[in-house]
């Protein structure tokens, strides 16, 4: 039995009937090289063999009465694999549009929080998708954000797959047994002790912050802090409904690198941000709704160390705000401005982000619950915070070698993020085996034409790639790299 953190509790206590705090990972497989198509029974057996890779698969949340303390993860004594893994098929003709509609509907449904917080859908019938052979199928893995962030999602994805069609050494099955449910009196006794300790640590942390702020007031280098600016109002700056729409576009990673290399110090993530800024602007212009101020985005930044691997799940991310420089008509100049901005954000936000994560971990559960209710409210500080952002953009690098599931080759790897009130648009970007897939999720009422928005993403990328190609080869010579301190790695 292990307790979740305050940062993890955020995703439970901010969930509402319309705001669903789960993520989805989408895998599409080519089984043309298999002797015969996979049976659902084979897939179910494969998933069962990999359940031991992460405790999130068999563990459920145990709430403390009256939310007096953070919930605990306990092994589910009534775990039922066939409840979590479901088998469906697309209707004829089984094209990409029908696939997107099906995924949107599945993603719109909240998870059952009384069980382990995940579901998997085996989807057959992808027979008329242009880039796939007949008999291709997909897996959709839905996991609540309390159990997984982008980095742990990539780790779980790797654990479900093999690096060769028929691995020589089968993975060792891990022993599992149910956890006895603790008594209510035990949970309440722990809550008293935990809250007392947390209250002491919170007061100590606040004392340090007040001291640092007091010293900062008399520092010659202390810059006057300006109030946070609101993002421009768009059609995505409204309260959302429970219904989602989704689409995705695939690109060659080598093309992204061409664009990246055209601006010294730029990263793949900077290219992603530039494309998103261009695609949303293009979409809003088509509706005669282009804003007069730059669009902004909320960017999750992983706070895990480079060598830190955590199979227990949970979240270690910080959220930062970035301008997408969307009023800049020149796509390369927009990329240059975003790159410079992101470099500064990374240098300035690392320490403050770790402080915030520590503060969340030390805060008593009752205080955190009140804070989360405030953040998710339709009025007040929570609404003001959400109004500072137009969209969410998350970029997770995936493996650059082919992966296999029951011998079927993983042909496409992408994701579905989440949206919230006033932030009704999100982008999930995943790179895998030489490809980059950019997917967009929105509210059905806000974006009635997701396929058109996918075209906007393509057009924004083509515009950026064309400008980058001309910049590198236009004068017949490569551009001389500019000197820049500590360029960020892509």
């Amino acid at each position: 039995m292990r307790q979740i953190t305050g940062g993890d509790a955020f995703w439970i206590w901010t969930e509402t009937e319309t705001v669903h705090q789960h993520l989805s990972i989408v895998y599409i497989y080519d089984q043309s090289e298999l002797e015969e198509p996979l049976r659902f029974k084979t897939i179910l057996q494969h998933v069962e063999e990999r359940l031991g890779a992460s405790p999130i698969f068999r563990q459920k949340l145990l709430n403390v009465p009256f939310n007096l303390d953070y919930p605990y993860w306990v092994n589910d004594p009534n775990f039922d694999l066939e409840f979590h893994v479901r088998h469906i098929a697309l209707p004829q003709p089984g094209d990409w549009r029908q696939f997107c509609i099906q995924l949107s509907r599945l993603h719109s449904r909240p998870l059952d929080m009384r069980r382990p917080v995940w579901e998997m859908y085996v989807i057959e019938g992808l027979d008329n998708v242009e880039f796939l052979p007949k008999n291709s199928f997909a897996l959709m893995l839905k996991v609540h954000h309390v159990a997984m962030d982008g980095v742990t999602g990539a780790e779980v994805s790797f654990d479900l797959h093999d690096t060769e069609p028929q691995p020589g050494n089968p993975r060792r099955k891990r022993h599992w047994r149910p956890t006895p449910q603790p008594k209510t009196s035990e949970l309440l006794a722990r809550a008293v002790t935990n809250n007392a300790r947390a209250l002491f640590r919170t007061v100590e942390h606040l004392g340090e912050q007040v001291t640092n702020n007091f010293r900062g007031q008399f520092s010659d280098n202390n810059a006057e802090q300006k109030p946070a600016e609101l993002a421009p109002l768009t059609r995505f700056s409204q309260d959302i409904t429970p219904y989602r729409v989704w689409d995705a576009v695939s690109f060659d990673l080598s093309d992204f690198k061409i664009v990246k290399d055209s601006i010294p110090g730029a990263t793949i993530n900077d290219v992603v941000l530039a494309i998103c800024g261009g695609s949303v602007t293009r979409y809003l212009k088509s509706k005669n709704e282009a804003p007069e101020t730059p669009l902004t985005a909320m960017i999750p930044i992983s706070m895990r160390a480079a060598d830190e691997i955590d199979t227990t799940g949970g979240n270690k991310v910080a959220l930062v705000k970035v301008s997408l420089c969307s009023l800049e008509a020149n796509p390369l100049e927009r990329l240059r401005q975003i790159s410079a901005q992101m470099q500064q954000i990374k240098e300035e936000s690392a320490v403050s982000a770790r402080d915030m994560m520590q503060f969340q971990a030390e805060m008593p559960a009752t205080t955190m619950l009140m804070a989360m209710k405030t953040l998710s409210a339709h009025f007040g500080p929570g609404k003001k915070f959400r109004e500072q952002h137009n969209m969410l953009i998350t970029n997770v690098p995936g493996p650059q070698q082919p992966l296999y599931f029951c011998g079927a080759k993983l042909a496409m790897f992408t994701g579905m993020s989440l949206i919230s009130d006033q932030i009704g648009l999100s982008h999930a970007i995943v790179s895998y085996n030489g490809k980059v897939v950019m997917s967009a999720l929105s509210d059905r009422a806000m974006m009635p034409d997701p396929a058109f928005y996918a075209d906007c993403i393509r057009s924004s990328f083509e515009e950026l790639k064309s400008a980058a190609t001309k910049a590198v080869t236009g004068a017949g010579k490569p551009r001389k790299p500019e000197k820049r301190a500590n360029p960020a790695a892509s």
Side-chain angles (χ1 to χ4, degrees):
M1 188 172 76
R2 59 189 175 88
Q3 194 168 29
I4 72 171
T5 66
D8 293 337
F10 170 90
W11 302 107
I12 304 174
W13 291 341
T14 56
E15 188 158 36
T16 67
E17 292 182 355
T18 58
V19 178
H20 307 147
Q21 303 287 29
H22 59 257
L23 309 170
S24 293
I25 309 175
V26 181
Y27 313 100
I28 303 178
Y29 300 97
D30 172 3
Q31 55 177 343
S32 59
E33 296 185 6
L34 297 180
E35 293 183 359
E36 58 182 20
L38 291 173
R39 297 175 59 195
F40 178 67
K41 182 179 179 180
T42 303
I43 293 174
L44 203 62
Q45 181 181 354
H46 179 90
V47 173
E48 185 174 21
E49 291 172 352
R50 305 301 171 98
L51 291 179
S54 174
I56 68 172
F57 289 116
R58 290 188 186 267
Q59 291 186 338
K60 68 176 185 177
L61 287 166
L62 176 65
N63 293 316
V64 177
F66 311 110
N67 288 322
L68 292 177
D69 202 358
Y70 297 122
Y72 291 86
W73 289 113
V74 296
N75 287 350
D76 184 5
N78 301 310
F79 178 76
D80 180 4
L81 179 62
E82 293 192 34
F83 171 85
H84 293 275
V85 184
R86 296 132 188 227
H87 189 195
I88 61 176
L90 294 182
Q92 293 294 330
D95 57 23
W96 179 256
R97 177 177 176 275
Q98 289 174 315
F99 182 61
C100 292
I101 291 172
Q102 183 65 75
L103 291 185
S104 300
R105 289 173 176 169
L106 294 174
H107 195 70
S108 297
R109 302 172 187 172
L111 289 162
D112 185 347
M113 301 300 288
R114 298 167 299 178
R115 297 173 179 266
V117 291
W118 66 278
E119 294 172 354
M120 178 182 287
Y121 293 86
V122 181
I123 307 173
E124 291 187 304
L126 282 71
D127 292 332
N128 280 280
V129 177
E130 293 182 359
F131 61 89
L132 295 173
K134 295 278 187 181
N135 290 324
S136 294
F137 72 98
L139 294 182
M140 177 185 182
L141 175 63
K142 287 173 58 175
V143 185
H144 200 281
H145 215 322
V146 67
M148 184 179 75
D149 60 19
V151 174
T152 53
E155 293 168 358
V156 167
S157 296
F158 194 82
D159 288 329
L160 286 173
H161 293 82
D162 299 302
T163 55
E164 51 188 343
Q166 302 297 331
N169 297 319
R171 302 193 185 190
R172 180 175 60 89
K173 291 186 67 174
R174 303 185 186 185
H175 181 67
W176 173 87
R177 63 182 178 181
T179 301
Q181 296 279 88
K183 297 179 180 179
T184 301
S185 57
E186 180 185 345
L187 293 176
L188 292 175
R190 289 190 180 202
V192 172
T193 303
N194 290 342
N195 282 324
R197 291 173 178 170
L199 181 61
F200 176 79
R201 291 195 300 265
T202 301
V203 171
E204 185 178 40
H205 186 88
L206 287 174
E208 293 176 356
Q209 292 296 103
V210 169
T211 301
N212 292 336
N213 291 340
F214 180 78
R215 290 172 179 169
Q217 291 178 1
F218 296 94
S219 172
D220 293 336
N221 298 324
N222 184 48
E224 182 180 354
Q225 292 189 351
K226 299 179 181 179
E229 296 181 359
L230 298 182
L233 290 175
T234 72
R235 61 173 48 223
F236 306 112
S237 307
Q238 308 174 52
D239 288 350
I240 62 174
T241 72
Y243 310 110
R244 309 288 185 258
V245 291
W246 178 88
D247 208 329
V249 185
S250 178
F251 303 97
D252 288 334
L253 179 59
S254 58
D255 288 340
F256 269 62
K257 291 180 178 179
I258 290 174
V259 177
K260 173 183 74 72
D261 293 342
S262 67
I263 300 295
T267 68
I268 294 293
N269 191 60
D270 298 335
V271 177
V272 165
L273 298 180
I275 293 171
C276 290
S279 60
V280 179
T281 301
R282 187 179 296 267
Y283 182 82
L284 294 175
K285 281 183 177 180
S286 73
K287 313 291 185 186
N288 296 316
E289 299 172 2
E292 297 180 354
T293 54
L295 297 165
T296 67
M298 181 188 297
I299 312 295
I301 295 180
S302 175
M303 301 305 296
R304 298 180 190 272
D307 58 349
E308 183 178 4
I309 298 177
D310 186 2
T311 59
T312 61
N315 296 266
K316 288 190 177 182
V317 296
L319 300 175
V320 299
K321 175 183 176 181
V322 59
S323 169
L324 297 180
C325 308
S326 53
L327 298 186
E328 174 56 58
N330 185 319
L332 278 190
E333 177 59 22
R334 182 168 71 244
L335 174 59
R336 188 196 65 78
Q337 293 177 14
I338 289 174
S339 178
Q341 182 185 185
M342 284 301 296
Q343 180 68 21
Q344 183 177 2
I345 288 174
K346 290 174 184 176
E347 293 171 354
E348 293 179 352
S349 65
V351 175
S352 59
R354 288 190 178 92
D355 286 344
M356 179 56 70
M357 289 179 62
Q358 181 184 358
F359 186 46
Q360 288 178 343
E362 295 170 349
M363 188 180 294
T366 50
T367 307
M368 176 65 81
L369 177 59
M370 293 175 61
M372 294 306 101
K373 295 298 183 184
T374 301
L375 280 175
S376 59
H378 289 289
F379 304 99
K383 186 170 185 283
K384 287 294 184 184
F385 173 77
R386 296 192 299 273
E387 288 176 342
Q388 297 173 29
H389 312 87
N390 290 115
M391 69 196 78
L392 172 71
I393 304 175
T394 177
N395 181 16
V396 180
Q400 293 307 308
Q401 76 269 24
L403 296 180
Y404 298 87
F405 182 89
C406 296
K409 184 177 180 180
L410 179 60
M412 185 174 177
F413 179 17
T414 183
M416 306 176 75
S417 190
L418 47 84
I419 57 176
S420 63
D421 293 335
Q422 285 75 54
I423 311 177
L425 174 64
S426 69
H427 300 82
I429 294 86
V430 178
S431 59
Y432 159 70
N433 195 29
K435 297 287 185 180
V436 177
V437 180
M438 298 185 64
S439 66
L441 181 79
S442 188
D443 183 275
R444 185 180 180 89
M446 297 177 186
M447 184 184 284
D449 48 359
F452 172 66
Y453 183 70
D455 289 337
C456 291
I457 294 177
R458 293 186 187 93
S459 298
S460 179
F461 170 74
E462 291 299 332
E463 179 185 52
L464 193 56
K465 179 186 173 184
S466 177
T469 302
K470 290 178 181 178
V472 173
T473 62
K477 296 180 181 179
R479 292 178 56 179
K480 186 177 181 180
E482 300 174 8
K483 290 185 178 181
R484 183 172 178 180
N486 299 322
S490 60

